[in-house]
Amino acid sequence: MTTLATAPRTQTQRTVLRERGQHEVFCGLTGIVWLHRKIQDAFFLVVGSRTCAHLLQSAAGVMIFAEPRFATAVIDERDLAGLADANDELDRVVGELLDRRPDIKLLFLVGSCPSEVIKLDLSRAASRLGERHGPAIRVLSYSGSGIETTFTQGEDACLEALVTAMQPTEKAPPAASGPDQLLVVGALADVVEDQFRRMLEDIGIANVAFLPPRRNSGLPTVGPGTRYLLAQPFLGQTAAALERRGATRIDALFPLGVEGTSAWLHAAARAFGISPDTVERVIRAPAARARAALDKWRSELEGKTIFFFPDSQLEIPLARMLSRELGLVPLEIGTPYLHRDHLEHELALLPASAILSEGQDVDRQLDRCRDAAPDLTVCGLGLANPLEREGFTTKWSIELLFTPIQGFEQAADLAALFARPLDRRTALKV
Amino acid sequence: MKLTLWTYEGPAHVGAIRIAASMRGVHYVLHAPQGDTYADLLFTMIERNGERPPVTYTTFQARDLGGDTAEIFKTAARDAHLRFAPDLMLVGASCTGELIQDDPGGLAEALELPIPVVPLELPSYQRKENWGAAETFYQIVRRLTPGTDRPELTDNVPTCNILGPTSLGFRNRDDVVEVRRLIESLGIKVNVVAPLDASPADVARLGAAHFNVVLYPEIAQTAASYLKRRFGQPMTSVTPIGIGATEDFITEITALAGVARPAKHRDASRLAWYSRSVDSTYLTGKRVFCFGDASHAIAAARVSRDELGFNVVGLGTYSREHARDIRTAAEGFGLQALVTDDYLEVERAIRDLQPELVLGTQMERHIAKRLDIPCAVISAPFHVQDCPARYSPQMGYEGANVLFDTWVHPLMMGLEEHLLAMFRDDFEFNDTAQPSHLPRTSTAPATAPPPAETQPAVAMTETPPAAGLITIAVPSWSPDAEKELGKVPFFVRGKARRNTERFAREHGLATITIETLYDAKAHFSR
């Protein structure tokens, strides 16, 4: 099924191809792979099936941890037949787990397709278990199920759950009623987070907090004085939850490339009444460094065509950065879900020639990709080798989530990720 | 509900996908939510297949659940038939699809497609991957061999089928080549190999053979038993891994085929001579732990003891379906079989037994790495690096050569081991020296964790495993004893430390002296 719709509120009335068919994407559980590294005292317990456990194992691809900080409570037929009360069983499994892992301070019960379909109420289970094991251990729940979430939406659901646990900011004295806290939202590599913190502090924003925190005890507060800045483009639910807690969004480009990072920092400064000159002074050196580093890649990538299969929801800001800073030509930009409010500025900067598509019918999209014959195809791991076999050069999209790509110092790394497959194809004589 | 960290087997429908991906002209329409498509990457990434597995996932979403998910399934099946034009269609549901009870079999039947449609009922909350593969193969065979008449055996030459090799089976692709060569060298014709590379038309010809070779019981046993009932075709019982099993296999199939059994040839495989060569003396009595699917684990134990002179100290499997086989085999080694799919239980067993070599799956490789024990992979589940570019079967005579190389190489070599024991403080070869083939730049301390094993998909930094799992009071080492321990060659030092500490604990000693160290050495020496 294919429908055409017009995206509202963009400067150019852009046509969006909407498709319903096979979605070749990960489900939201996959977010656990990076979230459990980011929050170092958190444990993610998926309540699901053997499929969920197998997915996590396969998507992670590595088993370097004797006991990873994620696991699956595998539902069996006894749970389904009602012979065992699923809630009692869950309580038992959680007890077993917490006995083994006294280092865990934050436990997420993560819903899956089967737990959603059998309507196992994990939010109630979380509050029950929170009472039993708290306050030393915080228990939260969210859904990473494939029937509700696509890939990075799992992070959105997780952060939304964290927002509900944030304490209200203590009332500021009447004199200081303006913004009192900048909250950067979205999981970033620690190195990127540290760079952003340094720059934001140099700009003069004193109170900067990050969500998710690195540890449970570092969960920031939230209140009407909170201005939040999204670091990732897939956080619609988290944003809505923050708004409900009184926080206000700072509208900005996403911090990919020199342009995106500059705009992102400027937007933050503007919200705190800091002059653009101050920002320019702080970012002059790193931005110049990034521009110089990108130049080396531009000559190689300029004019190359690129095709995005929907995957991480990073596709639109990536296409913006790659087209404007490296001269790549996006042919089709597929995204699992188009969050127009948060991407308004991004959409306006995309070349008019690019086709936008939302949702997926993977077989039709493969047909379009073959017709378009792009120089570079960005896709998931299931499609990469088959496309390579057909002669297409591909970039795995999952790497974009696991690699630090935001900010000035990482701009050239981002370019290199896209140049490497092309270099390799040129280098190989077999 | 069972707490699961890492799993040995995927869900049953992944077994069905393995059968579909093995065959030609088969397409599987799977009623499943989005996300279940992750299964594609097992084939395209681990096995580097150049094609997606032939599966259409309906990828229904929450908003579809109130509406007509049955219609979504029918559309997907109809479209898949038009686009892929398969000769046979498998239809079924994944674990979530099973819960919404749409009856893919009935829905597909209503479409009246002009091809055979095989409905699969794979109880996801009860069964696992290998069972799913076996059941799927059996259902296909049953569907494609209707009627009661056996096709006429026109040839005078005895013929057999080779049943069981699949996509994502451990070295199955190479094993088929090796076993086919062996069978043909005995004057027996191979009628059909299935499911690997077989078309539905090939499967329909299965009856036209005198007997069946069950290459891999985990996958082929159900279908072969059916064919025995259906056509009276006998089947083999020996998995030809190792020289002894290969010889038994030859005896078995020549008897089934009614052809003369050729005399045993001493040099059919180099393993026999290599194992007798004096350089292999040091292999004698090496303590080995075998774990995997039942057929590979049992075969590994036999080869270890009878063909390499190892001492098998542990034997187990994750496949409960074959618990009886492994228990019987373990008795032959004077052992109690470990039957579990709990990875931590396997780790505990290895830690307690302290073997000198682990033969296992991808999981045991990780365990062995952490415990600093040499390891070779012998069974699925496996990693991309266990799909070598070169020809490396496990079965037959060439397979035995491969086993010798891959199991022996992780161990310390012959005289080198003795030299190291003699010159303990060797300034070049010790725990802080770099291996000679690496540049002398990095100075990783000996206590650093082993390097993270990364599939190219993901690169993550290694962090030490969380503390606090097991806390047992450790006796303290006197400075002299600690110094003496440092003289023990580094590759057995960990074991010496653990043994000494265990000895001290068992004897209620709070402090370990040089005396304790040598008392423990004497106590634990064989």
Side-chain angles (χ1 to χ4, degrees):
Chain A
M1 198 187 310
T2 303
T3 53
L4 292 174
T6 306
R9 300 179 58 183
T10 50
Q11 288 171 353
T12 51
Q13 289 285 297
R14 186 181 292 278
T15 306
V16 178
L17 184 66
R18 284 224 189 87
E19 289 193 304
R20 173 71 183 91
Q22 177 175 322
H23 289 200
E24 182 86 11
V25 288
F26 282 134
C27 63
L29 295 181
T30 326
I32 292 171
V33 175
W34 63 88
L35 287 167
H36 90 282
R37 301 312 317 150
K38 183 70 204 177
I39 315 173
Q40 291 167 12
D41 53 3
F43 193 100
F44 293 78
L45 181 65
V46 177
V47 182
S49 65
R50 175 165 296 279
T51 314
C52 306
H54 200 231
L55 158 91
L56 276 175
Q57 179 165 327
S58 311
V62 287
M63 294 185 291
I64 55 178
F65 309 108
E67 292 211 36
R69 276 185 290 102
F70 56 82
T72 309
V74 175
I75 298 170
D76 60 31
E77 49 175 359
R78 289 175 64 248
D79 302 308
L80 294 178
L83 296 174
D85 187 305
N87 283 304
D88 291 346
E89 282 290 286
L90 181 59
D91 293 2
R92 178 183 60 74
V93 167
V94 167
E96 217 174 273
L97 175 72
L98 294 176
D99 279 350
R100 280 168 82 111
R101 300 297 301 263
D103 51 326
I104 297 307
K105 298 289 176 261
L106 173 59
L107 174 67
F108 287 101
L109 303 178
V110 187
S112 66
C113 298
S115 79
E116 297 292 329
V117 171
I118 66 171
K119 298 199 175 357
L120 194 55
D121 189 342
L122 292 184
S123 67
R124 188 179 294 174
S127 59
R128 180 178 69 235
L129 288 161
E131 275 169 32
R132 184 175 306 171
H133 300 285
I137 298 163
R138 194 200 305 270
V139 187
L140 300 173
S141 75
Y142 72 90
S143 171
S145 84
I147 56 177
E148 286 169 318
T149 60
T150 301
F151 199 19
T152 49
Q153 278 181 297
E155 177 175 330
D156 190 18
C158 173
L159 299 195
E160 184 191 6
L162 278 173
V163 171
T164 62
M166 288 162 84
Q167 292 296 314
T169 309
E170 280 181 28
K171 217 171 185 171
S177 57
D180 57 18
Q181 180 199 31
L182 175 67
L183 184 63
V184 178
V185 185
L188 293 167
D190 289 352
V191 58
V192 177
E193 202 175 290
D194 292 342
Q195 289 168 10
F196 283 162
R197 183 188 291 281
R198 277 198 300 273
M199 282 192 290
L200 289 164
E201 283 171 0
D202 288 350
I203 286 168
I205 303 173
N207 186 6
V208 182
F210 290 83
L211 183 72
R214 294 184 197 185
R215 305 194 73 81
N216 175 48
S217 56
L219 189 65
T221 59
V222 63
T226 302
R227 299 291 176 270
Y228 72 94
L229 184 59
L230 296 177
Q232 299 285 9
F234 41 73
L235 300 172
Q237 300 293 331
T238 308
L242 284 166
E243 305 270 342
R244 287 196 295 274
R245 300 292 303 271
T248 310
R249 184 167 70 90
I250 300 172
D251 202 9
L253 286 179
F254 289 92
L256 294 173
V258 177
E259 182 182 36
T261 308
S262 304
W264 192 76
L265 291 167
H266 270 290
R270 206 158 43 239
F272 283 76
I274 295 164
S275 83
D277 294 348
T278 310
V279 180
E280 281 306 319
R281 185 175 47 74
V282 171
I283 70 174
R284 189 177 302 126
R289 201 157 51 221
R291 257 183 233 108
L294 282 175
D295 272 348
K296 290 185 209 146
W297 298 105
R298 185 170 178 115
S299 56
E300 182 181 342
L301 293 169
E302 192 153 32
K304 294 272 195 299
T305 54
I306 186 166
F307 190 107
F308 289 87
F309 278 80
D311 201 57
S312 63
Q313 289 194 56
L314 283 167
E315 295 85 2
I316 288 169
L318 273 176
R320 182 262 303 158
M321 185 270 175
L322 295 172
S323 63
R324 290 173 64 88
E325 298 187 40
L326 291 162
L328 281 148
V329 181
L331 300 176
E332 175 168 337
I333 308 166
T335 184
Y337 176 72
L338 189 57
H339 198 291
R340 291 194 175 73
D341 280 350
H342 292 179
L343 291 168
E344 189 182 348
H345 300 300
E346 297 281 353
L347 288 167
L349 295 179
L350 289 180
S353 59
I355 297 173
L356 267 187
S357 64
E358 184 181 10
Q360 190 180 32
D361 179 323
V362 70
D363 290 312
R364 284 169 194 264
Q365 196 168 27
L366 282 165
D367 290 344
R368 287 200 301 278
C369 180
R370 290 178 186 118
D371 287 345
D375 294 314
L376 191 57
T377 303
V378 184
C379 62
L381 289 173
L383 297 177
N385 264 339
L387 281 169
E388 290 280 351
R389 192 75 181 168
E390 289 184 35
F392 293 94
T393 306
T394 61
K395 171 82 224 88
W396 309 332
S397 43
I398 198 164
E399 205 173 354
L400 301 166
L401 268 311
F402 295 154
T403 314
I405 55 168
Q406 294 82 4
F408 294 122
E409 314 303 347
Q410 284 69 236
D413 299 343
L414 179 56
L417 283 182
F418 288 88
R420 192 175 303 128
L422 293 164
D423 287 348
R424 184 159 182 79
R425 186 153 287 252
T426 314
L428 294 180
K429 305 295 179 224
V430 289
Chain B
M1 232 174 250
K2 180 153 171 50
L3 186 64
T4 305
L5 299 170
W6 302 117
T7 71
Y8 285 93
E9 288 184 78
H13 70 263
V14 166
I17 298 177
R18 282 175 57 187
I19 300 299
S22 302
M23 294 182 65
R24 289 179 287 119
V26 172
H27 198 88
Y28 185 17
V29 180
L30 184 65
H31 208 16
Q34 68 177 4
D36 283 9
T37 52
Y38 82 88
D40 285 3
L41 73 86
L42 303 172
F43 299 87
T44 65
M45 296 304 291
I46 297 177
E47 212 166 46
R48 303 179 208 251
N49 284 0
E51 284 172 14
R52 288 157 65 211
V55 185
T56 294
Y57 304 82
T58 57
T59 58
F60 56 79
Q61 290 172 294
R63 62 165 186 253
D64 303 319
L65 290 178
D68 201 351
T69 48
E71 197 53 42
I72 292 176
F73 179 84
K74 279 157 76 177
T75 307
R78 211 181 284 119
D79 288 354
H81 177 250
L82 284 176
R83 178 176 281 269
F84 299 104
D87 301 323
L88 179 143
M89 188 181 280
L90 299 169
V91 297
S94 77
C95 49
T96 309
E98 184 182 329
L99 293 175
I100 62 174
Q101 300 183 330
D102 272 339
D103 182 22
L107 293 171
E109 199 183 346
L111 293 177
E112 298 187 334
L113 298 175
I115 51 166
V117 174
V118 177
L120 298 174
E121 302 268 350
L122 310 174
S124 315
Y125 297 90
Q126 201 182 338
R127 300 295 194 166
K128 291 181 283 187
E129 180 177 335
N130 278 341
W131 185 89
E135 173 69 11
T136 303
F137 182 48
Y138 158 66
Q139 291 294 347
I140 292 173
V141 169
R142 219 182 85 159
R143 176 59 188 265
L144 294 176
T145 53
T148 52
D149 294 333
R150 180 177 186 176
E152 223 167 282
L153 295 170
T154 47
D155 242 325
N156 288 329
V157 183
T159 58
C160 70
N161 301 311
I162 300 178
L163 303 182
T166 60
S167 193
L168 287 178
F170 188 67
R171 308 281 168 85
N172 282 189
R173 211 165 284 271
D174 295 343
D175 282 344
V176 169
V177 175
E178 191 62 24
V179 170
R180 177 193 275 270
R181 185 186 299 160
L182 179 68
I183 290 171
E184 288 174 348
S185 75
L186 297 166
I188 303 166
K189 217 173 112 184
V190 174
N191 177 46
V192 169
V193 178
L196 196 64
D197 292 330
S199 66
D202 293 332
V203 172
R205 292 191 295 112
L206 282 177
H210 291 94
F211 66 97
N212 287 315
V213 169
V214 176
L215 199 65
Y216 196 49
E218 277 82 350
I219 308 293
Q221 193 80 46
T222 319
S225 303
Y226 163 77
L227 289 166
K228 188 176 179 185
R229 292 195 303 275
R230 169 89 181 70
F231 296 126
Q233 285 170 326
M235 58 176 147
T236 59
S237 61
V238 180
T239 304
I241 296 179
I243 294 179
T246 298
E247 294 293 348
D248 291 352
F249 178 74
I250 291 171
T251 305
E252 190 175 32
I253 60 170
T254 47
L256 286 172
V259 297
R261 196 209 185 286
K264 289 180 190 174
H265 180 36
R266 198 174 65 161
D267 292 328
S269 168
R270 286 189 197 96
L271 179 144
W273 167 239
Y274 273 37
S275 214
R276 283 173 193 280
S277 93
V278 289
D279 191 73
S280 296
T281 312
Y282 74 101
L283 299 176
T284 314
K286 287 268 186 206
R287 295 158 50 81
V288 57
F289 181 91
C290 307
F291 194 88
D293 63 36
S295 19
H296 284 96
I298 293 170
R302 177 173 176 186
V303 173
S304 292
R305 182 185 62 187
D306 297 346
E307 302 178 22
L308 294 168
F310 293 155
N311 176 20
V312 179
V313 295
L315 174 58
T317 184
Y318 54 81
S319 31
R320 292 192 181 278
E321 286 94 345
H322 297 84
R324 192 187 298 170
D325 302 337
I326 203 119
R327 288 204 174 101
T328 310
E331 275 170 27
F333 290 87
L335 297 170
Q336 197 169 2
L338 176 65
V339 180
T340 180
D341 58 357
D342 184 343
Y343 158 87
L344 292 172
E345 212 176 307
V346 180
E347 177 162 42
R348 253 192 314 275
I350 295 177
R351 199 190 295 270
D352 291 348
L353 288 166
Q354 300 187 1
E356 289 157 281
L357 177 67
V358 172
L359 301 175
T361 71
Q362 172 66 8
M363 316 291 205
E364 284 68 47
R365 176 167 39 215
H366 286 280
I367 294 169
K369 238 180 196 178
R370 274 194 295 279
L371 300 177
D372 222 356
I373 301 171
C375 177
V377 171
I378 57 156
S379 160
F382 56 89
H383 192 265
V384 63
Q385 74 195 65
D386 297 307
C387 281
R390 67 182 183 279
Y391 179 61
S392 9
Q394 300 287 288
M395 294 185 177
Y397 293 123
E398 183 58 25
N401 293 335
V402 173
L403 299 186
F404 184 90
D405 289 349
T406 46
W407 298 4
V408 165
H409 285 180
L411 298 166
M412 193 61 69
M413 296 300 288
L415 288 179
E416 199 178 0
E417 188 173 285
H418 303 298
L419 283 171
L420 285 165
M422 264 178 84
F423 304 109
R424 288 169 178 182
D425 294 320
D426 188 304
F427 72 100
E428 281 173 332
F429 198 105
N430 55 54
D431 49 357
T432 52
Q434 286 284 302
S436 56
H437 60 281
L438 291 180
R440 303 182 69 96
T441 46
S442 138
T443 49
T447 50
E453 186 162 317
T454 58
Q455 187 163 335
V458 188
M460 279 193 224
T461 44
E462 172 106 357
T463 57
L469 181 56
I470 303 166
T471 43
I472 300 167
V474 177
S476 65
W477 286 74
S478 74
D480 283 355
E482 186 80 49
K483 205 172 158 201
E484 195 72 11
L485 180 70
K487 296 176 189 168
V488 175
F490 67 88
F491 52 90
V492 288
R493 195 177 302 149
K495 187 177 158 191
R497 179 185 288 279
R498 284 191 298 273
N499 277 349
T500 310
E501 286 171 359
R502 186 171 139 203
F503 179 85
R505 264 197 309 276
E506 284 169 7
H507 290 78
L509 304 173
T511 309
I512 292 168
T513 62
I514 294 182
E515 286 302 303
T516 322
L517 179 67
Y518 285 111
D519 283 347
K521 182 173 190 286
H523 179 81
F524 287 108
S525 70
R526 306 191 272 269

